[in-house]
Amino acid sequence: PVTTQGSQQTQPPQKHYGITSPISLAAPKETDCILAQKLIETLKPFGVFEEEEELQRRILILGKLNNLVKEWIREISESKNLPQSVIENVGGKIFTFGSYRLGVHTKGADIDALCVAPRHVDRSDFFTSFYEKLKLQEEVKDLAVEEAFVPVIKLCFDGIEIDILFARLALQTIPEDLDLRDDSLLKNLDIRCIRSLNGCRVTDEILHLVPNIDNFRLTLRAIKLWAKRHNIYSNILGFLGGVSWAMLVARTCQLYPNAIASTLVHKFFLVFSKWEWPNPVLLKQPEECNLNLPVWDPRVNPSDRYHLMPIITPAYPQQNSTYNVSVSTRMVMVEEFKQGLAITDEILLSKAEWSKLFEAPNFFQKYKHYIVLLASAPTEKQRLEWVGLVESKIRILVGSLEKNEFITLAHVNPQSFPAPKENPDKEEFRTMWVIGLVFKKTENSENLSVDLTYDIQSFTDTVYRQAINSKMFEMDMKIAAMHVKRRQLHQLLPNHVLQKKKKHSSEVRLTALNDSSLDLSMDSDNSMSVPSPTSAMKTSPLNSSGSSQGRNSPAPAVTAASVTNIQATEVSVPQVNSSESSGGTSSESIPQTATQPAISPPPKPTVSRVVSSTRLVNQPPRPSGNTATKVPNPIVGVKRTSSPHKEESPKKTKTEEEQLDTETSTTQSETLQTAAPLLAAQKTSSTDLSDIPALPANPIPVIKNSIKLRLNR
C-alpha cells in the first residue's frame, strides 16, 4: 500500500481487507501529505506521542518482566519435578495488548500485559508465588491483586503502571514465536484463561486487518484525542472505549486502503455519520470454531437484537464491545460524528485548522437543565470504591431517564468533579457527575409537570442494593441527585470547568439539614422520607477526575442502610426545543456490513412504560383518539435482560393535548424508623417501591428522593 505522495505510481495487486470491497483506492496527493504533517504538529502539544527515551524505557521494563516470568516458570517446573529437558525449553512469555500494543499509548499511560504459561503452571501459582516474586523486586511498588471479571495483578514497575492478566495454555512449553490468534489454543481452556487471552487476540487481529499500520495509528491517535476532548470516551458510561474506537478506525482504513491519516480522519466522520445503526461494524466475517463459546449473533441470541451500535470484535469468541450504548449516548455520538464531518470538510478546503477539531465544547452551556449526581463517603479509600460502583450504574439512570416520555436526551458527562462539602466541619469525600437533559417539545401545552422521582429512586435503590449484597456498603456512604438549571451550575462547579462565567442567579445551597440532607433552594423545597437499600455487579473504581483508578481495596462489611435525600424541586422552567442538525453533504455510499443473512429487525415488543415512572401531576383525562406521534430516531434504551425495548420504543410517544394544571403538588417531610410505617408510607407515596428489600433491623432514617419539574413553554 502507498503511504507517500504520488498519485501517478502504479500499484501492485492489493490484498483485500474487510468484508466488503474498498470505497476508494485513491493514493494520497501532495496536499494530503501536507495536511497529515500539520495533523502531527497539532497533536504534539496534547501529549499523545511519547518521547523515544520513554518508549525505550517501557521496552526495557517489559523485557525485565518477561525474564522474571521465564525464571518463575522454571522454578515452578523444578518444584513439580519435570524432566530437565523440558525445564530448559519451558518458556513462558509476557504479551501486551490495548493501547500500548496498538502503538497509540499516550505519555504516562499504563501497560496492559498478559502472562502466558504452560499447562503445569496453575492460576493459583500466578497469584501466590509469582506475586511473591514481584514483591521481592526493588523496582516494584503498589503491588495488588484485583478480583475483577478477569482477575489481575496490578503494579508500578519503575514508575510505569502495569496490569498483568494470566492465561495457562494446554501446551507443555511456550515457544517464543507463539501466535495467540490461533483458535486451536482455546481448546480445553478454563473460561478465565479464554477471557484473559481475548484482549491480546483482539488487538493482534486488528493490527492484521488494517492495510497500513502507521496510517492506522496516526488516525487512531487523532480520533481518540477528539473523543476524549468531546467527552464521548467511556465504555462504562455508555459511550465507546479504546478498543471500539480502534475498530471503527480500522474499518475506515479497510474502506480507504491507500489513504493517509489526514484523509482517513475525514473519511472516519463521513462513514460513521452516515452509518445505518444498528447494522454491525465487522472487520472480518465471523468464523465458527465449534468450541461452543457464546458469540454475538442476533439470529441466535434475542438479547443481541437490542444492541444499538454493535461493533464486533474480530477474534473468536466474537463479542459486541458496545453493549452499554443507549439511545442518548448513541444520539450524542452520531451528532458529534456529524459535527466532526463538517469541521474536517472545512479543514480539507483550508477554511479551518486541525486545532478546531480538538476544541473542547462547553458541556455546561449546551443544555438548559441538568441532573447533578453526588456520591459521598467518609474516607478517601471508601470514596474510591463507592464512586466506582455508582459510576458503573449511571448508565442505568440514563436509560431510565431516556425512557421518560418527556425526555428526548439524557447526556452524562464522563468527567466527574469534586463536589463542595456539605458540612465544612465533617470529614467527607464527595464526587459529582452532571447529566444534561433535553425535554421533548410539547404542543398545545402551556405547563407541564414532570416527576423524575421514580427514575432517581430506582437508580439509588439499585446502587444501595448492590453495595449491600457485595458487602461493600458502609454507614455514611451516600448518593443524592438534584435538578439544576444552567445558570446555577457555577455554584457547584469550579470556574475553570465552566469557562464562560455566568451572572449570579437564584441560589443553590448545599447546607446541613436534619441528618446531612441536601438543600436545593429554588422555587420550593420539600423533602420526603423513604429507604434506599440496593442490587449487584462488578465495580470499577474511578477517581474524581473520571480516570480509571486501578487499585481496588477489600470490601468493608455492611453496617446499616445510609441516608439519601434530595429536596423536591418544583420549578417553573422554559420548555427546551430539541432539534437535530443534519450532518455533512458528502455523497459516497457507505457499505453496511450485515452478517451473512441480513438481520431482520426484531419484533416490536408489547411492553409499555410503567406509569409510575413518569408521574404527571394533576393530569386531566386523555383525549380520545390516537394522539401519539413517533419521534425522530426512536430507539431502545439500555440493554435489558428482561423485556428489552426495541427500535420504536413505547416510551417515545408524546401526549400533545395534555394541559397540565398549574397547581403545585406538595410533599411532606418525614422520617421512617421501622419497616412497618414504611409499608404504610409506600401506599401514599407517589413512587412505586414494591421491589425494595426489607430494611436492616436497627432503625435508621431513610429519605425519599423527590424531583419534580414544571415546564412552561
Side-chain angles (χ1 to χ4, degrees), residues 232 269 272-275 277 309 328-340 580-581 583 633:
I232 52 173
F269 292 120
F272 295 110
S273 62
K274 297 183 185 307
W275 195 269
W277 305 106
M309 204 171 174
S328 289
T329 54
R330 188 180 75 175
M331 216 184 279
V332 168
M333 287 188 281
V334 169
E335 195 50 49
E336 289 288 0
F337 291 152
K338 288 176 181 173
Q339 286 175 15
E580 229 180 292
S581 64
N633 196 15

Side-chain angles (χ1 to χ4, degrees), residues 235-303:
N235 179 44
I236 200 167
L237 289 175
F239 294 104
L240 306 191
V243 74
S244 302
W245 291 115
M247 289 190 284
L248 292 187
V249 169
R251 186 70 189 111
T252 310
C253 292
Q254 291 179 339
L255 293 169
Y256 300 90
N258 298 324
I260 57 171
S262 50
T263 309
L264 288 168
V265 170
H266 174 247
K267 298 301 187 189
F268 170 90
F269 292 120
L270 173 63
V271 170
F272 295 110
S273 62
K274 297 183 185 307
W275 195 269
E276 290 172 14
W277 305 106
N279 277 323
V281 173
L282 296 159
L283 295 181
K284 62 183 267 194
Q285 207 58 266
E287 295 159 6
E288 184 44 65
C289 289
N290 298 321
L291 293 176
N292 292 325
L293 294 171
V295 297
W296 186 86
D297 189 343
R299 297 164 302 170
V300 177
N301 314 315
S303 63

Side-chain angles (χ1 to χ4, degrees), residues 17 61 90 155 157 218 225 278 280 342 464 547 554 584 629 689 702:
Y17 291 91
I61 286 168
V90 75
L155 64 131
F157 199 114
L218 183 51
L225 176 63
Y464 280 116
S547 62
T629 55
L689 297 169
V702 281

Side-chain angles (χ1 to χ4, degrees), residues 454-474:
Y454 173 87
D455 303 314
I456 302 288
Q457 185 72 39
S458 56
F459 165 70
T460 54
D461 289 345
T462 302
V463 176
Y464 280 116
R465 200 178 299 121
Q466 172 155 341
I468 289 166
N469 289 352
S470 63
K471 308 232 178 329
M472 179 188 121
F473 184 76
E474 291 279 3

Side-chain angles (χ1 to χ4, degrees), residues 10-34:
T10 55
Q11 293 183 9
Q14 274 191 300
K15 181 185 166 187
H16 179 62
Y17 291 91
I19 63 167
T20 62
S21 53
I23 291 174
S24 166
L25 291 169
K29 301 185 181 72
E30 192 170 346
T31 50
D32 300 330
C33 298
I34 294 165

Side-chain angles (χ1 to χ4, degrees), residues 547-691:
S547 62
S548 255
Q549 182 77 347
R551 314 280 175 258
N552 206 348
S553 29
V558 176
T559 51
S562 128
V563 176
T564 309
N565 71 348
I566 289 102
Q567 297 315 105
T569 58
E570 280 271 0
V571 287
S572 288
V573 283
Q575 178 61 33
V576 180
N577 266 7
S578 67
S579 60
E580 229 180 292
S581 64
S582 57
T585 54
S586 317
S587 61
E588 292 175 43
S589 66
I590 310 300
Q592 297 298 330
T593 62
T595 41
Q596 299 97 336
I599 299 155
S600 57
K604 187 172 173 177
T606 53
V607 186
S608 61
R609 174 86 175 113
V610 183
V611 175
S612 60
S613 55
T614 36
R615 183 172 146 272
L616 302 178
V617 184
N618 303 328
Q619 178 180 342
R622 282 171 191 263
S624 56
N626 184 8
T627 59
T629 55
K630 212 178 94 170
V631 173
N633 196 15
I635 306 262
V636 55
V638 202
K639 172 193 163 194
R640 305 203 165 200
T641 43
S642 63
S643 70
H645 291 54
K646 188 271 167 193
E647 303 246 311
E648 282 80 32
S649 159
K651 161 249 160 167
K652 298 283 186 181
T653 59
K654 61 182 178 196
T655 48
E656 297 180 327
E657 259 83 274
E658 285 176 329
Q659 275 295 92
L660 295 175
D661 220 350
T662 54
E663 206 178 300
T664 8
S665 79
T666 55
T667 53
Q668 313 88 1
S669 179
E670 50 187 288
T671 301
L672 305 174
Q673 297 300 67
T674 59
L678 165 66
L679 297 172
Q682 276 186 5
K683 289 174 190 165
T684 55
S685 101
S686 64
T687 309
D688 175 15
L689 297 169
S690 51
D691 66 338

